Amino acid sequence: MVKQEKASANRPDNTAFTQQRLPAWQPMLSAGIVIPGFVLIGLAFIGIGVALFVTSRGIQVLEIDYTGVEQNSPCFPCTDQNRKNCVCDVNFSIDTLFQGPVFFYYGLSNYFQNYRKYGVSKDDYQLSGDLSYFKAPSSTCSPYEYDKNNKPIVPCGSVANSMFNDTFKLFQIVNGAKKQVSLDGKGIAWWTDYNIKYRNPSVTPLKNAFNGTVKPLFWSKPAYELDLSDPANNGFINQDFLVWMRRAALPNFRKLYRRITDGDYAQGLPAGNYTLEVSYNYPVLSFGGRKKVVFSNVSWMGGKNEFLGIAYLVIGSMCVFMSIVMLIVYAKFKFPEED
Amino acid sequence: MTWRSPLAVVRDALRGQRARDKDLRNLVSNLPYEGLDKAKQPNRYFPSNAIKTTKYTLLLFIPMNLYEQFHRWANIYFVGLAILNFVPVVNAFQPEVALIPICVILSLTALKDAWEDFRRYQSDRKLNNTPCFIYSRKEKQYIDRRWKDVRVGDFVKVLCNEIIPADLLLMHTSDPNGVCHIETANLDGETNLKQRKVVPGLCNSDSEFDPESFSGIVVCEKPNNNLNHFKCYVEKPDKEKVGAGIESLLLRGCTVRNTDHAVGFVVYAGHETKSMLNNNGPRYKRSKLERKLNTDVIFCVILLLSMCLVGAVGHFLWLQALPGVPPYLVPDSNGHLDSPSLSGFYMFFTMIILLQVLIPISLYVSIELVKIGQIFFITNDIDLYDEETDSRMQCKALNITEDLGQIEYIFSDKTGTLTENKMVFRRCSIMGTEYPHKENAVRLAVLDEPETEEEVIFNQRPRPPQTGWSLNAEDTIPEDRQHRHGSRRKSKVSGNAQSDVAFSSPLETEVIPDRKLLQQISRPECSGGASRQTDPYLDFFLALAICNTVMVSMATAQRRRVSWFSRSCQTNTPLDTVSNLVKKAGSLRHIFTSWQRKPKQNRTLSEDSVIEEDHFNPPVKTEGTGDTNGLQTCTLHALSRYNRPAATSDNLSYEAESPDEAALVHAAKAYGFILLGRTPDSVTVRLPSGEELVFEVLDTLAFDSNRKRMSVLVRHPITREYVLYTKGADYAIMELLGTPYAEHLSGSQKNIAADTQHHLDCYAKEGLRTLCFTKKVVSDKAYESWLVNRKSALAAIDNREELIMDSAVQLETNLSLLGATGIEDRLQESVPDTIVALREAGIQVWVLTGDKPETAVNIGYACRLLEEEDLVINMSCENKLTCTSILDCTLEEVRRYSQDPRNVDTTPDISLVIDGRTLTMALSSDLQDRFVELARRCRSVLCCRVTPLQKSRVVKAIREKLKVMTLAVGDGANDVNMIQAADIGVGISGQEGMQAVMASDFAISRFKHLKKLLLVHGHWCYTRLANMIIYFFYKNVAYVNLLFWYQFFCGFSGTAMIDYWLMIFFNLFFTSVPPIMFGIMDKDVSAEMLLGVPELYRTGRGAGEYKRSTFWVSMLDAFYQSLVCFFIPYLAYQDSDIDVFTFGTPLNTISLFTILLHLSIEIKAWTVVHWLTMLGSVAVFFIVTLAYSATCITCNPPSNPYWILQSQMADPMFYLICIITTVVALLPRYMFHVLRNSIAPSPLMQARHLDRLDPYSRDQWIKEWRSFRGGGCVKRSRLSTPPSPTLETPADIYPQSSTTSDIMGDEFTLNVITENSQRPRHTRNNDSLAT
């Protein structure tokens, strides 16, 4: 017997694997199996689509363009480059209660925060509070690395430099008087940005960390004085700064500015007339950009977007339709296996 | 080492170069110079015996390996891209990251190379340190050294069973005759022993050879790689030149056998030895698919460049359109912005970097991996394993597996490929009388049809002899039986072990003599010794026994590989003594042939005691049972009588270089003319009378393909005459006939030559191989004068072959015909079945053979290459003019024939038979086109009498003219040319050594394996690889296009919205394994279906799965899918506060799902492995991405993937978007598949439907379907139908007239032959063409 085994030492293993006989599931893409599947998928999609659509319908959005392109628009005077600290009032009215919590966005159009070189132009190490990068920012920040006097710019780079600096105040006109709507600026940035990614240097007062550096050219205030009202909201963990630093994916974008969550307006903005006091600083007309403010409430699916619901509905009904077509095909051609 | 001036070194080197380059080398013994420093050594210029096959050295490994790898243009491209990353203007984010893929690929390949090289290094070291004996003058003896110490000019002693360290000129052996046997299995795989002779006249073999006494100069040619050729002479001090050739050369790598020791003079060492020069690396062929793939890669490059161009132009236009300078435009450090056109120009390169993945960097690596996997499965297929030889299928070329699925033409050798190359003596004709050997035919029929057990059983008690000539040998029977049994058992063993003795299955060794012939030879014997010297029968059998190069080795001196199956229990059973064990060749069935008429008893006994012998009682074709039995008995008795005095003769085993010779020697043995031994100088033959004759062999004129004959010149021990026995092809012999044999014989002397020729023609028609035997008595004077010529020819260095051949031709004249033999070469198992299947698969099968047309045609019918109803065109002409006209009118005829509406449904296929001479003319450049055109219309073509070179020319002509994929299959050295010329060369490791296998791309052991190899593995490999490649292109395009579409929303600035590392991982880890697994393991149709319905093979042929259109369709699909994958998320996230990488993450996830699900639509059969890799890939994606986004806080600026996937996965929108996008992206492809499968299912699709049925109903279906198609069940038709008792049977398949006119006629004839009388029209054609 030993000899026998030896004689067939070369014999391949007769296993299912080596002989390619592993049990296999062979799905057949023929109409018979597909029709019920399609009907099920179609119905499920229609269900999701209806839910999405209804939800999306329930979301209220109010968009106001305040760029001031037209002569008669309230912010038109502010488009003059020479005017400093221009303030314009934009009036609008709400017909029905704007369900709270209301999110207050600013939006920019034709603004390419995703521009390649722009995106590179920041120094993550500096922004994470590393003091050595305060003195010598990364070369990626060029040309917003050093100012003319060769002093390092903190925060350096194009992204920080171009930070949106319009500010808004919202008033409800109650009986002719302006009643300020309190805006909540806390927690509008990503939790991870605020707590992990971006860090101020652990120097108190914060101002000392910035000794020997200059503020970005475009900025009117240094980074440690971005929010005078709340000392904790300064430096690199300033919420507005964080929101800006998270670059928008598309050239028409909105960014969260404030939330209206407390006080009288916790339930939303009641119907009535409102005035938005815009401190108009950010120039966009030079490159054909637009600025707007957006009020919106959100649901589980985020902001208002009817597309997804419609897409689900369309695809769902297409699936159902196709299963009908296939049923006809089935009737006409029969199934090959039934021949 | 003394200091030498550099000049001297240079001079020395130059001189060495000259010495090496000279046509002839003068070598002297090293012994007088022993101990001198190297500069004084006469042989210092020649390389030492140390070998180095490694490609690299430790220090130079990296540069050399890189240099080698950069020979692939793909690698250069990728490195170029990587370098481009470092150019500042393209603003790559992280140039270092771009290096990772190319580095991974380069280093993987380098690792593989290093490992291979290390293995080579190890084997070199082992070889170099093998011990050997070198003579040392100081010690006056052979001292133990290493192989690497051997130098040219040394004397090396090799002991029995040792491997020869270098090419040695044989000086001395322990054998008194100066013979040394070597086994060349390591070199060419041939297992028979080859004999080497001491260079004559150098020393007397009686005394011990003293190397120090050797003072001659060995003059030899430059090293070359011809294993069968060597020219050299030894110039003795007295200026006498002694010639020596390959017969005195011991080749490195061979093993010394049957010789106690041998001493040789080293002529070539190390890398100059013939075996090393023959050692070529593996062959590299490029498959058709890969060639196509390269053009598609170029398409991809074009696509890439145009996409980059779009990016560049888009960027330019976008910049141009900006009214002012927006804050997001980043000026350079001086505050300047580049002009839009310059930015656009730079952007072009940035885009190349961004979109580079479009050219699939991993594709080449993946293809190699897939092919390794495919080869693993092919070589592990148990159906391609041959039990007898214990050999698997071997893949020598690693990169053309998919070409197996593309074959359109098969060119096959006949002998040894279609047939077993186990030669069986069938018939002979002596002095114009035919001896049909009916009994032998019966025996063969028994061997051949063991299945039909229910027939009459061949169990015959020995009867008293019916004829008077035989002794009543009742008392000798037991002894005789023992002998017979012993010999059979031995041959069974050899059949099993295969490696011990070539050509010695019982089929070949056992011949049952013809009764009439036995009577013939016994008659003169009885009449006394006086007439013996002139007895033609005696001469005939002597010629059979002597005129060959068969070596005799005693069974006791069996070589090491002989494994004696110890079956003592079996031998001891009484059953064994009464039964003969015959092994059926070609299968493992053993048959017991019992003499005893106790069938029942035997049967039970045998079933109890012997496990594997199912077919205990073999049946017999019983035409005239009694007669046969009687004959059988007679035969055996006769044998026993002969065997009795020659008890030892059963221990003989014959080692022949060609199976024909062995068959003839065995035939002679059956008649009692037993070849007992052969030395270079003598042949010992035992006559039936028991007398032993020792013939002095004066010379052997070896066989060559020009003369087509061989001769042995012997001195008759009794008459002292010089006798020349010649055997050869009939046409080579018939021209040389002189005086008819022994005129003094009876007056009724007929024209022997004519009769024999008639018999030969009949043999050929039966498909037998024919040989003619002649005798010539050479007068002393003629011999003396011839000897002078011969000697000078042998000593010549220039034109030696010609001179030797001339000298042979000189002697081989005026021969007297003795007779002729017909040897059968039996078809291999399942050959007809395989050929029919291959043909149904749409493959044209050509057979190219050196045989005569008649033999070839017969084999053609037997193996179903030709069918009975075929229209056979026979082309044979003498000169080019006729050849041209034949071609023209045949072509015209064939065209008309195929256009004839009457032939639409009945079309019998056209077959062409063409002979070598005509083929040469047809392949000449002006006729080639017409010939190819004709051949294209023929279903099968048979080329007869073709030379090896012609074989390769045919293959080349068809391959180049018709642009088809060709496969050549053969087993012998004569097929090597053809095998190398074809797209795929398949070698059959058969009886004729390993040359064909060495030259081949795939080696199989049986012709029938070709069926599964092509139909199943070929189909699978092709579809798998084609689908995988298409998928790979699709995958890359689909993924890269996401980035491309994003460019429209980021000002064409080259932004990637996916983290760079994740992008690299995506291709490297997340989506690479499933397609590779798909390429290795997917199974579109089961093997059973593919074998059952060979037509399915057609689907893969031509372009099959991998069409240009398929490529573009999947490109379009990729574009569509990328559009969907980009724009659905885009629309969903439009006008929101989404940031760049949060937008990219769902895109990445979606494309992962789309790409994987796309593959799962393509996967035809899901096994565990498929599920594992698919689900594993998804799991790896999520695990890696989650881990990466959890740990990478600031690690990869400018992207900040930190916690992005986590936050996305907490958002229901992410899932909703993923689901809808994936569904929309895959819907069209899915629908397309569904509709196609329902409305117009492809044959493959239908086959897959059938696959789902249970095996029984599937087989039923296949059977029905076959019969519907009229194919019928393929029966195994055999060549070996017992021949009709007489040759008078009209050869109905091949009209006599045409035969004779073809062969003999000097006028051309063109025969359109049909066998079916139902088709008179063909006959008309025949007439019209012939006139």
Side-chain angles (χ1 to χ4, degrees), chain B residues 369-581:
Chain B
L369 288 176
V370 163
K371 284 184 178 170
I372 288 171
Q374 291 183 340
I375 282 170
F376 170 80
F377 279 124
I378 294 179
T379 50
N380 267 294
D381 191 334
I382 203 153
D383 291 340
L384 301 184
Y385 165 78
D386 188 49
E387 304 235 9
E388 252 182 87
T389 53
D390 185 33
S391 56
R392 294 183 184 196
M393 147 102 211
Q394 293 173 51
C395 296
K396 304 235 162 194
L398 300 182
N399 39 14
I400 53 170
T401 46
E402 70 275 15
D403 273 352
L404 289 173
Q406 295 266 288
I407 297 303
E408 287 156 276
Y409 277 77
I410 289 181
F411 297 89
S412 170
D413 173 42
K414 186 179 78 62
T415 312
T417 304
L418 299 179
T419 62
E420 283 180 330
N421 204 8
K422 285 187 179 160
M423 299 300 168
V424 182
F425 179 83
R426 285 300 293 269
R427 295 173 156 221
C428 66
S429 157
I430 305 172
M431 300 309 287
T433 316
E434 215 282 319
Y435 298 97
H437 287 76
K438 252 193 301 185
E439 307 81 7
N440 201 29
V442 169
R443 179 186 69 94
L444 293 172
V446 170
L447 279 170
D448 205 47
E449 264 181 40
E451 277 98 343
T452 46
E453 249 181 88
E454 270 24 272
E455 287 182 38
V456 178
I457 289 157
F458 182 38
N459 284 323
Q460 186 65 46
R461 183 196 296 273
R463 281 183 197 170
Q466 293 175 342
T467 45
W469 56 271
S470 170
L471 293 171
N472 189 335
E474 199 69 63
D475 49 345
T476 64
I477 283 171
E479 187 200 6
D480 171 53
R481 274 193 224 124
Q482 293 285 8
H483 287 313
R484 288 178 62 79
H485 179 71
S487 77
R488 282 193 178 174
R489 202 162 58 92
K490 194 184 77 199
S491 28
K492 173 174 173 279
V493 168
S494 35
N496 270 345
Q498 179 74 20
S499 43
D500 47 353
V501 180
F503 320 125
S504 56
S505 74
L507 193 71
E508 296 159 289
T509 53
E510 314 222 335
V511 178
I512 299 171
D514 190 271
R515 181 174 53 161
K516 218 167 84 195
L517 186 53
L518 266 182
Q519 284 170 328
Q520 273 294 349
I521 55 172
S522 55
R523 199 189 316 117
E525 203 180 288
C526 299
S527 65
S531 66
R532 187 187 294 158
Q533 281 75 41
T534 50
D535 177 25
Y537 292 92
L538 178 79
D539 268 325
F540 179 77
F541 284 110
L542 275 181
L544 287 192
I546 293 174
C547 186
N548 50 50
T549 54
V550 173
M551 293 301 304
V552 185
S553 64
M554 290 299 182
T556 46
Q558 283 285 330
R559 311 216 303 277
R560 88 207 125 102
R561 271 197 274 174
V562 180
S563 49
W564 284 88
F565 280 72
S566 98
R567 289 175 177 278
S568 49
C569 57
Q570 200 183 315
T571 347
N572 292 340
T573 56
L575 166 83
D576 234 59
T577 51
V578 295
S579 56
N580 291 307
L581 183 65

Side-chain angles (χ1 to χ4, degrees), chain A residues 158-232:
Chain A
S158 189
V159 190
N161 185 53
S162 61
M163 187 177 147
F164 187 74
N165 57 1
D166 285 3
T167 51
F168 308 95
K169 281 179 186 159
L170 183 62
F171 299 96
Q172 186 185 14
I173 312 293
V174 186
N175 305 326
K178 281 181 171 178
K179 180 187 175 192
Q180 186 159 12
V181 179
S182 70
L183 302 173
D184 176 12
K186 284 207 174 68
I188 54 173
W190 280 44
W191 187 90
T192 51
D193 287 353
Y194 184 75
N195 291 292
I196 295 160
K197 258 186 103 87
Y198 292 78
R199 308 237 49 88
N200 280 328
S202 47
V203 175
T204 42
L206 186 60
K207 187 173 187 268
N208 291 349
F210 289 80
N211 284 341
T213 66
V214 293
K215 64 181 167 60
L217 307 176
F218 196 68
W219 287 20
S220 53
K221 301 177 278 189
Y224 48 87
E225 285 172 357
L226 282 174
D227 188 356
L228 296 171
S229 61
D230 180 3

Side-chain angles (χ1 to χ4, degrees), chain B residues 671-692:
Chain B
Y671 285 96
F673 295 82
I674 301 165
L675 178 66
L676 285 182
R678 174 184 293 273
T679 67
D681 299 329
S682 69
V683 181
T684 314
V685 178
R686 177 180 297 147
L687 298 186
S689 56
E691 194 181 342
E692 287 188 13

